[in-house]
Amino acid sequence: AQSVSQHNHHVILSEAASLELGCNYSYGGTVNLFWYVQYPGQHLQLLLKYFSGDPLVKGIKGFEAEFIKSKFSFNLRKPSVQWSDTAEYFCAVNANTGRRALTFGSGTRLQVQP
Amino acid sequence: DTAVSQTPKYLVTQMGNDKSIKCEQNLGHDTMYWYKQDSKKFLKIMFSYNNKELIINETVPNRFSPKSPDKAHLNLHINSLELGDSAVYFCASSQSGIRTDTQYFGPGTRLTVL
């Protein structure tokens, strides 16, 4: 079975600070990796995804993530956060074959102070 | 032209009632899902349908019954509602295939059981 750990539950940053949110997964096979964002009161939106190829993936709104296979990690980064980045961030995985349902981490609440 | 839509957005009801939540996607996808997000924001898969066939049925009480009349619709019926059913329910859809398997989420239905 897959599992996902997000170690930062609540992160508070000032505008223009750099962001890195940790995500580690556990699974014996090949996985697809995702970061979703949930703005207050809204639905989940895809930030970026990794299926294969270049382990550094770029997403929307200046976010990027790096897949490090040896560390089973897929950390999310942004060099300079804005107040509008205040949201809940979820890391998720699914297996490359068979079962497609996403297994989510517990989420990280990011609060950006102006 | 919303990609994944859900109705209703809010649902407040008494314990013991039966209620339904509807989901429709206009993306032409062949797979649909129901996820439950609890009060701590944790997201967990409940059901998944592929081409109208149930393929994932997690350990969900049998008071919850999904129905897929066609590939574009996946409804969730809940019998004898309990306080613990209060949550946000998200519908999602995807197109099966290794590289295109990105899930798109609906806006969610906030269910409150009194």
Side-chain angles (χ1 to χ4, degrees):
Chain A
Q2 305 145 22
S3 67
V4 180
S5 296
Q6 290 182 244
H7 307 295
N8 316 104
H9 296 294
H10 188 190
V11 173
I12 303 174
L13 293 173
S14 298
E15 274 192 313
S18 64
L19 169 73
E20 181 159 2
L21 301 182
C23 173
N24 288 90
Y25 69 93
S26 172
Y27 182 63
T30 305
V31 295
N32 303 314
L33 297 150
F34 306 83
W35 275 98
Y36 282 86
V37 61
Q38 187 177 26
Y39 297 103
Q42 295 191 28
H43 65 288
L44 290 150
Q45 299 175 41
L46 182 68
L47 269 180
L48 47 77
K49 59 190 177 186
Y50 173 81
F51 291 121
S52 65
D54 188 344
L56 184 62
V57 291
K58 294 192 183 299
I60 60 171
K61 305 188 182 196
F63 286 91
E64 65 178 31
E66 184 175 13
F67 170 51
I68 303 179
K69 191 174 181 180
S70 60
K71 295 185 178 180
F72 297 90
S73 69
F74 190 55
N75 292 353
L76 181 71
R77 300 194 291 247
K78 186 171 184 179
S80 176
V81 294
Q82 301 171 318
W83 178 79
S84 57
D85 293 324
T86 295
E88 195 89 23
Y89 291 81
F90 294 93
C91 181
V93 304
N94 68 0
N96 215 3
T97 57
R99 178 187 165 101
R100 296 295 186 186
L102 290 168
T103 299
F104 284 89
S106 54
T108 297
R109 183 177 167 220
L110 172 65
Q111 193 175 340
V112 180
Q113 296 176 331
Chain B
D1 59 345
T2 306
V4 183
S5 59
Q6 294 179 229
T7 53
K9 190 165 183 180
Y10 300 97
L11 186 52
V12 181
T13 188
Q14 300 285 334
M15 270 198 311
N17 284 350
D18 303 339
K19 290 292 177 185
S20 291
I21 307 171
K22 296 186 177 182
C23 178
E24 177 180 1
Q25 54 95 4
N26 63 6
L27 297 167
H29 289 162
D30 62 0
T31 307
M32 296 184 73
Y33 311 81
W34 278 110
Y35 289 87
K36 179 180 179 181
Q37 186 176 45
D38 64 22
S39 57
K40 295 185 178 178
K41 300 280 189 178
F42 187 65
L43 277 149
K44 191 172 180 186
I45 183 70
M46 299 174 70
F47 302 103
S48 174
Y49 270 75
N50 177 263
N51 285 316
K52 301 196 301 174
E53 283 191 40
L54 181 65
I55 56 171
I56 294 175
N57 184 353
E58 290 296 292
T59 48
V60 176
N62 57 16
R63 298 182 294 103
F64 290 78
S65 53
K67 282 189 173 54
S68 182
D70 56 56
K71 284 198 312 182
H73 295 85
L74 179 62
N75 303 324
L76 183 65
H77 188 76
I78 316 169
N79 289 326
S80 303
L81 279 155
E82 299 178 358
L83 292 175
D85 298 332
S86 295
V88 182
Y89 293 85
F90 286 100
C91 177
S93 74
S94 69
Q95 179 61 36
S96 58
I98 294 172
R99 285 190 176 272
T100 59
D101 198 9
T102 297
Q103 292 182 28
Y104 295 88
F105 285 78
T109 296
R110 182 175 293 276
L111 171 64
T112 303
V113 182
L114 304 174

